Amino acid sequence: DIVMTQSPLSLPVTPGEPASISCRSSQSLLHSNGNNYLAWYLQKPGQSPQLLVYLGSNRASGVPDRFSVSGSGTGFTLKISRVEAEDVGVYYCMQTLETPFTFGPGTKVDFK
Amino acid sequence: QVQLVQSGAEVKKPGASVKVSCKASGYTFSSYGITWVRQAPGQGLEWMAWINVHNGNTNYAQKNQGRLTMTTDTSTSTAYMELRSLRSDDTAVYYCARGRWELRDFDFWGQGTLVTVSS
């Protein structure tokens, strides 16, 4: 199985400041078709997960442009340009290159 | 609007089975797949399985293979997840989510169903 790791696991942030989360995979998620099979989800407190990004860098419908993703292959970074109150929660990266799909351990983002 | 509404919480004894339903509305049910993800108390997310609603093809995480069955009823736009031979470590919130295999994105999620396995 592909192992996903994230860092940091906890990220205290200041509203209005930038934040970034790193995600690494044990093998490349870059398919021969040019897609990176990497998705990001945010689970807000007490809620179901919600899709933020799919196929490496494509923001899902309704996701603000303050969220961006860079990287390819085995290393990816989710960046929030200016953290807002609604961004707190646990962020998970997930590989969807091969089954079983696997999630990272999650990064908890909350305010300092 | 797209909605996935799951059945209510369950309490089961070890060795029993549980069947969780996920009723979809607001879109053409057979045009998307359904995936199931679970989350043990205080833990992260674990992908369990995927079903192509259109043709019924399934893909299960090997750790659950043999105990897990996913089905769909297109007449009621409902997906089902049945887990058998329950153990205490199956205690978790179970989520269904809509997805597109070609994009591998799960864009709408159910509210979750808590399954508690306890003697």
Side-chain angles (χ1 to χ4, degrees), chain B residues 67-81:
Chain B
R67 296 200 299 138
L68 178 63
T69 302
M70 289 185 301
T71 55
T72 61
D73 181 345
T74 54
S75 69
T76 60
S77 298
T78 303
Y80 299 92
M81 186 280 299

Side-chain angles (χ1 to χ4, degrees), chain A residues 50-99:
Chain A
Q50 58 186 82
L51 176 68
L52 292 178
V53 172
Y54 63 96
L55 290 182
S57 59
N58 297 276
R59 280 192 306 273
S61 176
V63 175
D65 61 7
R66 64 178 180 273
F67 289 90
S68 63
V69 177
S70 60
S72 182
T74 61
F76 301 85
T77 302
L78 174 72
K79 295 180 181 177
I80 311 173
S81 59
R82 294 174 306 279
V83 176
E84 298 189 5
E86 64 184 20
D87 301 335
V88 300
V90 182
Y91 290 76
Y92 295 93
C93 59
M94 177 191 190
Q95 69 81 18
T96 55
L97 178 68
E98 60 183 45
T99 58

